[in-house]
Amino acid sequence: MTGPTSPQEIAKYAAARQAATYVEGGMKVGLGTGSTAAWLVRRLGERVRDEGLQIVGVPTSSSTAALAREVGVPVATLDEARWLDLTIDGADECDAELNLIKGGGGALLQEKIVATASDRMIVIADATKRVEKLGAFPLPVEVVGFGMNTTKMLLEEMLEGLDVMGNKAVPRMKDGTLFRTDEGNHILDLHLGRIGNARQLALILNQVPGVVENGLFIDICDVIVIGHGDGTVETR
Ligand code: 5RP
């Protein structure tokens, strides 16, 4: 396995390795998505191989499932596992109350379902993800394809009345076409600048027909492990 090279990757790697120490034999573990979570999955693969660690991983995306299989972490679906001891996942932003923006990798729906079905959620991130107020990172919202332009218009209108700085909903693209999630839906990235009341926004967004789920994780994360470019970590 090639190690991390840039300071940001070293930070992600350090956070992932630290979080991997929370995983004990016999656990059912939710496996997050993204570059930080990928370090965790690789580390768990090492522990399975070197220590004979016995776990079942529940991946939050097809890409994480493929990586877990590649590095030898046994996987199950959430319906097979039913309830998990722990989920470890990355984040795009995290505030002081451990509320998150997630979905930069487009896996927010499965990530939220898996984290909610876990006794504990640990977030792993480099220090750039820690923010005072959520919202600089565009908030991903998963929407169904039917009537997507109408859903976008309704979201933008609704946002005008809320405590946010911007209201643009931008369809996420990949390779020149609309991005598709593992569930076959699309993503609207909401350019809000700053979210005044994340708890309220998380509830309101899901009232709009066509919205499947939003990337605000409120009261779901229990612990955050922050990595730094010098390889040190801090846990909150
Ligand atoms: C994927 C996510 C990721 O956890 C988030 O985008 C962070 O990614 P990375 O670890 O690559 O910075 O929410 O949907």
Side-chain angles (χ1 to χ4, degrees), residues 3-18:
T5 46
S6 69
Q8 195 181 22
E9 281 307 301
I10 291 169
K12 292 177 179 189
Y13 176 80
R17 284 186 77 91
Q18 174 66 23

Side-chain angles (χ1 to χ4, degrees), residues 106-142:
L108 67 103
L109 176 59
Q110 294 182 21
E111 290 171 337
K112 200 181 260 193
I113 293 171
V114 167
T116 302
S118 305
D119 284 342
R120 269 200 321 160
M121 180 193 197
I122 298 177
V123 161
I124 46 179
D126 65 87
T128 63
K129 307 292 182 66
R130 204 164 36 182
V131 297
E132 243 174 63
K133 225 34 180 164
L134 299 175
F137 189 92
L139 174 64
V141 174
E142 183 156 345

Side-chain angles (χ1 to χ4, degrees), residues 187-211:
I187 299 274
L188 291 172
D189 287 308
L190 306 188
H191 291 250
L192 307 175
R194 181 182 176 281
I195 300 172
N197 188 337
R199 186 177 299 275
Q200 177 199 48
L201 181 61
L203 292 175
I204 294 177
L205 284 172
N206 286 15
Q207 303 305 311
V208 176
V211 169

Side-chain angles (χ1 to χ4, degrees), residues 48-222:
V48 167
R49 186 191 65 214
D50 300 342
E51 301 168 25
L53 178 73
Q54 295 207 351
I55 55 168
V56 172
V58 173
T60 52
S61 61
S62 50
S63 56
T64 297
L67 177 63
R69 288 196 182 95
E70 184 189 316
V71 300
V73 175
V75 295
T77 64
L78 182 59
D79 280 335
E80 286 163 347
R82 296 178 79 95
W83 195 261
L84 311 181
D85 299 286
L86 177 63
T87 283
I88 305 177
D89 199 350
D92 299 299
E93 284 187 349
C94 177
D95 72 11
E97 278 78 50
L98 305 189
N99 293 322
L100 317 170
I101 286 183
K102 283 188 52 54
L108 67 103
L109 176 59
Q110 294 182 21
E111 290 171 337
K112 200 181 260 193
I113 293 171
V114 167
T116 302
S118 305
D119 284 342
R120 269 200 321 160
M121 180 193 197
I122 298 177
V123 161
I124 46 179
D126 65 87
T128 63
K129 307 292 182 66
R130 204 164 36 182
V131 297
E132 243 174 63
K133 225 34 180 164
L134 299 175
F137 189 92
L139 174 64
V141 174
E142 183 156 345
V143 298
V144 297
F146 181 84
M148 183 178 157
N149 289 336
T150 305
T151 305
K152 168 173 149 51
M153 188 183 73
L154 285 173
L155 281 171
E156 288 177 340
E157 276 175 15
M158 184 270 286
L159 287 165
E160 270 175 23
L162 296 180
D163 184 8
V164 290
M165 271 164 50
N167 76 330
K168 283 281 153 280
V170 179
R172 190 180 296 185
M173 306 296 288
K174 191 178 176 194
D175 303 329
T177 56
L178 283 172
F179 175 85
R180 259 190 202 281
T181 68
D182 276 355
E183 295 299 311
N185 299 313
H186 300 303
I187 299 274
L188 291 172
D189 287 308
L190 306 188
H191 291 250
L192 307 175
R194 181 182 176 281
I195 300 172
N197 188 337
R199 186 177 299 275
Q200 177 199 48
L201 181 61
L203 292 175
I204 294 177
L205 284 172
N206 286 15
Q207 303 305 311
V208 176
V211 169
V212 180
E213 191 50 86
N214 68 80
L216 283 167
F217 283 47
I218 308 293
D219 295 337
I220 296 178
C221 172
D222 300 289

